[in-house]
Amino acid sequence: MTHPIFVLNGPNLNLLGTREVEIYGHETLGDLARLCTEEAAKAGLSCSFRQSNHEGVLIDWVQEAREGASGLVLNAGGYSHSSIALADAVRALSIPVIEVHLSNIFRRETFRHHSYISATALGVICGLGTEGYRLAIAALARRITGSTRGQSGS
Amino acid sequence: MTHPIFVLNGPNLNLLGTREVEIYGHETLGDLARLCTEEAAKAGLSCSFRQSNHEGVLIDWVQEAREGASGLVLNAGGYSHSSIALADAVRALSIPVIEVHLSNIFRRETFRHHSYISATALGVICGLGTEGYRLAIAALARRITGSTRGQSGS
Amino acid sequence: MTHPIFVLNGPNLNLLGTREVEIYGHETLGDLARLCTEEAAKAGLSCSFRQSNHEGVLIDWVQEAREGASGLVLNAGGYSHSSIALADAVRALSIPVIEVHLSNIFRRETFRHHSYISATALGVICGLGTEGYRLAIAALARRITGSTRGQSGS
Amino acid sequence: MTHPIFVLNGPNLNLLGTREVEIYGHETLGDLARLCTEEAAKAGLSCSFRQSNHEGVLIDWVQEAREGASGLVLNAGGYSHSSIALADAVRALSIPVIEVHLSNIFRRETFRHHSYISATALGVICGLGTEGYRLAIAALARRITGSTRGQSGS
Amino acid sequence: MTHPIFVLNGPNLNLLGTREVEIYGHETLGDLARLCTEEAAKAGLSCSFRQSNHEGVLIDWVQEAREGASGLVLNAGGYSHSSIALADAVRALSIPVIEVHLSNIFRRETFRHHSYISATALGVICGLGTEGYRLAIAALARRITGSTRGQSGS
Amino acid sequence: MTHPIFVLNGPNLNLLGTREVEIYGHETLGDLARLCTEEAAKAGLSCSFRQSNHEGVLIDWVQEAREGASGLVLNAGGYSHSSIALADAVRALSIPVIEVHLSNIFRRETFRHHSYISATALGVICGLGTEGYRLAIAALARRITGSTRGQSGS
Amino acid sequence: MTHPIFVLNGPNLNLLGTREVEIYGHETLGDLARLCTEEAAKAGLSCSFRQSNHEGVLIDWVQEAREGASGLVLNAGGYSHSSIALADAVRALSIPVIEVHLSNIFRRETFRHHSYISATALGVICGLGTEGYRLAIAALARRITGSTRGQSGS
Amino acid sequence: MTHPIFVLNGPNLNLLGTREVEIYGHETLGDLARLCTEEAAKAGLSCSFRQSNHEGVLIDWVQEAREGASGLVLNAGGYSHSSIALADAVRALSIPVIEVHLSNIFRRETFRHHSYISATALGVICGLGTEGYRLAIAALARRITGSTRGQSGS
Amino acid sequence: MTHPIFVLNGPNLNLLGTREVEIYGHETLGDLARLCTEEAAKAGLSCSFRQSNHEGVLIDWVQEAREGASGLVLNAGGYSHSSIALADAVRALSIPVIEVHLSNIFRRETFRHHSYISATALGVICGLGTEGYRLAIAALARRITGSTRGQSGS
Amino acid sequence: MTHPIFVLNGPNLNLLGTREVEIYGHETLGDLARLCTEEAAKAGLSCSFRQSNHEGVLIDWVQEAREGASGLVLNAGGYSHSSIALADAVRALSIPVIEVHLSNIFRRETFRHHSYISATALGVICGLGTEGYRLAIAALARRITGSTRGQSGS
Amino acid sequence: MTHPIFVLNGPNLNLLGTREVEIYGHETLGDLARLCTEEAAKAGLSCSFRQSNHEGVLIDWVQEAREGASGLVLNAGGYSHSSIALADAVRALSIPVIEVHLSNIFRRETFRHHSYISATALGVICGLGTEGYRLAIAALARRITGSTRGQSGS
Amino acid sequence: MTHPIFVLNGPNLNLLGTREVEIYGHETLGDLARLCTEEAAKAGLSCSFRQSNHEGVLIDWVQEAREGASGLVLNAGGYSHSSIALADAVRALSIPVIEVHLSNIFRRETFRHHSYISATALGVICGLGTEGYRLAIAALARRITGSTRGQSGS
């Protein structure tokens, strides 16, 4: 049986739909979890959707993904820009990882333009709102279920 | 009738499949054009797929998209990192724009980590190979055909 | 009934009075808690005084303040200079926030001169020792109880 | 008899209440002078409240404070960010000095984030509007009249 | 017979009046061409007014100006900030050159604050809208027709 | 009756015609005053032409212009590159302001390439010698007397 | 009785022997714990060997070392390069501290070349693999048991 | 039959002999073409000598060299310092490439000290005037005709 | 008759002997004036010794020196590091100028390591206390009275 | 027979015990040589201990170590921070090299925080005084005599 | 009689052929000396070929070249990037100087991209292996024997 | 008997009078030695005047000065800007040291504006040609023979 796709969300994403709605929209984290589960189900996959404000917990979960996940969607929120430790955990994975940001981080403050996660992930999707999660899961699913042509790094 | 989606490719992308295949894979630009056309067709849309090595030609095409396209997928290649003029042309568009890169530019030389296009686009997808084009067209199609929930900027 | 003022203290502030007394003085965190409670009481307000070495716990508490506090005094200690995630949590508050530092951070190492919290807070008080907490609570109390003239941001 | 507290205001603060009211509020410099005098009077102290657009005049006044003042509240306005000479004058004082800014300088242009005065003052209060002056005078008064517990530098 | 004044416009200026009207105003490039022709005519001069999105074409035209123009007004748009090649072409001219920008580039993004053209031109006019072109032509005309007092470099 | 145009000149401009004539030409400040008065007179306006080496005096004059001038031509000389206080005074004006420099500051030392005044002014003219003052007055006069088409900021 | 030596390991070190073995070798964290215990035992000392992915937990443990340890070996992993809070906790210790890294951090990415811990520790050992831990314990043991000649800071 | 050596010249090199002769000398581009042809002929090779002001044309030509040239001498002029796109085209070549500059770029403005081409070429020759072209052709010819000892990259 | 040597002192030097005596020593400005007068007298020269906290006054005096002095000793204090306007005034002098600092500015804060005056002066003497003034006057006197061998700039 | 371990000391280390004893302690270079010889002898190895103030001599000795040493302990003193040439010599070695510093260079001036040697050595030990030499020799001896488990680079 | 051409080689070049052969190739310094001598002989010139690891010795030799050489080929190795003193010695020469590097320094570490020698030499050749020396000698010979057309600096 | 004053001269100063005479003048090193000897003799002191191109030799001499000199005049030439090792040797001296430069290093290339020696010396004299040496010896002599008023560090 295939392992689930992990969808891990970092600090303040539990406030989704209630905070800075002009940036993040009105959908809640619960809505997003449902959207991810549906998208994964299309490919016959399950989805373990989690959120934490704790950097250490996120690292624990990324480490758990080494054995327990078939792919990882990671939105590390504010930790994207400061956590070498979290990026190191991602670097230790051999499953495919896609970094996602709801907003277009390149339109925001300069300190959000650099993410330590990016260089450790297969790819990055940002600025497409919750749609970005759906695309990431679709892309992972194609790789996991073999329906893509598996070029590495391209 | 809906305008086509423009898929514009910058310098050296005509070499796709023959250059640095360990980075860009074996698919050619022709393969990519077919993939894009197919993906657009799924949503009942057509696709105008082009490539040029000339910055000015790319600017002309982006300006043409103001009246003639319903969405834009832009892979500006090396011009992404140096062309304020091309980014200005994108900024003048009101249709949705997604920037795509085949490779994960954050794993490459530092001068490729910054793209002038990013802040002018709705969102960015990179590192997912030709799959990234497919996802970009899918995302644009949902916005154009109204099947997405239209949050702005999220 | 008015919500309490939250007074949140970051890493190593539990060592107050025992560490680098030439910088931080001899008062302990317990002394400081009493001082804050007394000052809040003058304005008929209560005070929820807490300390943690864990960035994630501090973020949880700041999020709790969204519903449960009428104002926030925040001394994020070393996290002030590195935590975008904590600053994001503060940015999501609509209650007034004052950042406090016991020492004058501008007299210390260069890496302490920049705080991510500052731009998310209403104002900053530093260098005035435990007196700074008292002033912050007094200022918040005037806003909360309406005894100030309510200019926003001035 | 105790010397007065000097409250020195730098360039353009004479325009208070008439300039950028969304940043600085509607109170005038005259209002502010009254507020300061009242706050000082609570502690039985007088207040010498002055404003100048001239860097040299401000330096002269700071030097005058060496013999003639018991404490100094200094809002050097635009000179805060450029005047080493004024900061040198403050450094030569042995009375307590508090730097005040009406607005939160950390929310404004980058060149306002650094103040040469900060490292020469006992402490800094910013972003609290005219309330910041009141707090500064209260803090100085406690030190001058001995009602605080005299920790140096904490 | 005196050569015409060249007025060369760079990328995206063909969109004038239709793009970012809050920055660039409602006048079109055609309006601007008429204004320039009229102003040149006042001094008995003709005006060759052109626009291109192509850096190479602009360089060709600047080279053409070596033999064919009596003065040059150059608004290189986005190429101002990135094109050493275009600036080199200007440097090779011996006729007077005035760089013009419609908007005040110093109020915009940091990457627009530096222009490679500036150091190769006689002078710079920016922020005065289409009026800036008129002033530039007037100033060139005085030099060309000898009605100014010919100070070099002043 | 319309207020005069203020023409304010900063430090060392009283030496005009006697200092670095290869940069600044042979005209004196008196010559320049006459040229400005004549140009203003063409539009039926008067001109208050002044010079000071004192930053504070320049700030006083800019503040005086708030009530007493219809437009401002400002050549702040060396203070252009260092005075936030003077730029703040200009920012508080609602009349149109044009910054002028006799020489092309972009051909000189790097520290002259940035002016704090530029972002607070409507526009900038540099490198055109005393002609630059004439153009600035002409442009202001058109705005003041309504003979221009009043686009703001374009 | 002498307190144990604390050996504290930061994020991802629990993956030792399973991750990037070309950098970190094949020994596991369990092997390393045994090696440390044996080395401490040679000097008649015990060893408290711990690992956590949580910055806050590491800070708690460093604080615990103030009363409960006679020396500290600290490999803070990725937190070395970002955590001012952890470095502050170390700065508050009076027992000797040696920072250890398994790999030679100066051969790796630039962001690993700076460690906030280094300036707070007595010394640093890096690049010597698990041997580095052994050396650190040996050095601490000599200081603790008095068999070294006690030069401070040399 | 061996392919010709391509000698590609970038913007403004068509002005050779007429522009800044104190830097570039009196020889024209025609003289240079003859010199190159003669030097290639010594080794029994032909030479395709071209110049363009258009970045896109230069990229097209470099791509053409993939199939049609046995070696490349490239003087990209001002594009050397700004064109990642052109450098990418060179990187895609497998024939030997030598970058040439007529002047010693390290004696000129700082922005000319870095060339994106350099890291993609086999080697660089600068400062030797037209002689540099001759040397480059000689060196390529030895590699192409096998008269050198073929060490790669040394 | 020979003009006097001007000895101009900037902000806070009137506090000499009373401020930071561990840096500046116990001699007062009066003592220093006497020392300078005596040293000048040895060469048959007079000395005009002045101090001001006002940048504008210092500029006025430097301009006065153009006609009224035979040499200039300038200690601009804090203005050395920030005043382009004062340096411009010195640049306009044709008499020899020596910059003097009592303390060794290279042992102090980084912002004191750069002086705008230095590049405009003949030479610099720092770190030698009041002795530095004596040496500067001696060196100027040798030049003025012709007792040195007059090499310029060496 | 095994080659000796080279222990090479750079500039000013001959002053050990007589210079800045609060940093470097009271032991002399002779004491240190004896300590190294003893430590090497424990593993049955000899030790060639040398010092020079001459960069070239140090390079000669490092080159000599290619054939004549089994391991290298290098304290390059001030040359650590400036000598690419010395680092190049170390890079050419195939024997194990450990860089040692008596003091903790990360507690000292910023220019001592970077060492060109570090990236060329196997590992670094600093801040442990003469003990650091002993540890380095012990670590090398284990590698040379095979008593360690030979992981490369870990 | 014409003076010989000096060919001076800096630190570690004596290891040529034995060190990092993938970068520097298999030829030894002796091979290189023969190649240079042969190339010089073609033009009827002799060659003084030397190598030293000592910066001072290289400076001595460059100074010797002032009187004793007709041209200089200089490969300063690691000193290229750090030695202002050596570059000063070259600057004092009036004979033509060509800087040579065996490898393409622009493909290597960033600190090798800048050479102090470059701006003092006539020209630079790098990346062409030992062939680069041959070309440099050929170019010098043409200048020395008058067979080139003597353009200076072109 | 008092030890001599050491006057140590660094690289290329042996070329004095023959190199760049427009910067350094026509006096030779021999002339300078005589001037120094004469000036020292005025105070009854002898002078040991030396020059070397070798950094190591200069360090040896500075170390020799610890026991053998009563004061040091040091012109380290190009090593001033690069040699931490030489500066460390100076830092180890307890005799007074004055750094001298013939030219005004602040008027020259940026890399000459910083000297590692400056912060280790008592003071600095530059730009006064050989006169600077005379002044330095005079100042040292006053300190050594007690004829100055002995302020430390002023």
Side-chain angles (χ1 to χ4, degrees), chain J residues 20-64:
Chain J
E20 300 179 84
V21 294
E22 74 291 355
I23 298 181
Y24 295 108
H26 289 281
E27 287 175 291
T28 66
L29 197 68
D31 297 335
L32 183 53
R34 269 186 298 280
L35 180 150
C36 289
T37 303
E38 287 167 19
E39 187 68 27
K42 288 184 193 166
L45 293 166
S46 67
C47 179
S48 177
F49 189 97
R50 314 177 188 178
Q51 188 274 338
S52 175
N53 291 332
H54 297 243
E55 188 179 12
V57 171
L58 291 164
I59 295 172
D60 289 344
W61 287 344
V62 170
Q63 291 188 354
E64 181 188 336

Side-chain angles (χ1 to χ4, degrees), chain B residues 29-105:
Chain B
L29 198 67
D31 297 334
L32 183 53
R34 270 186 296 281
L35 180 150
C36 288
T37 301
E38 287 166 19
E39 186 68 28
K42 288 185 194 166
L45 294 167
S46 67
C47 178
S48 178
F49 189 97
R50 314 176 188 178
Q51 188 273 339
S52 176
N53 292 332
H54 297 243
E55 188 179 12
V57 170
L58 291 164
I59 296 172
D60 289 344
W61 287 344
V62 170
Q63 290 187 355
E64 181 188 336
R66 302 178 85 224
E67 305 285 311
S70 58
L72 171 60
V73 175
L74 178 60
N75 179 349
Y79 291 139
S80 309
H81 317 298
S82 66
S83 180
I84 293 168
L86 184 53
D88 282 349
V90 176
R91 189 174 283 113
L93 293 175
S94 53
I95 57 172
V97 181
I98 298 182
E99 181 186 19
V100 172
H101 296 281
L102 291 163
S103 66
N104 183 340
I105 55 178

Side-chain angles (χ1 to χ4, degrees), chain B residues 11-12 14-15 18-19 53-55 79 81-82 109 111-112, chain H residues 55-57 59-60 63 66 82 84-85 88-89 91-92 116:
Chain B
N12 300 305
N14 56 326
L15 303 181
T18 68
R19 173 184 69 131
N53 292 332
H54 297 243
E55 188 179 12
Y79 291 139
H81 317 298
S82 66
E109 303 96 318
F111 61 75
R112 292 193 210 272
Chain H
E55 187 179 13
V57 170
I59 296 172
D60 290 344
Q63 291 188 354
R66 303 178 86 225
S82 66
I84 294 168
D88 282 351
R91 190 174 282 113
Y116 283 106

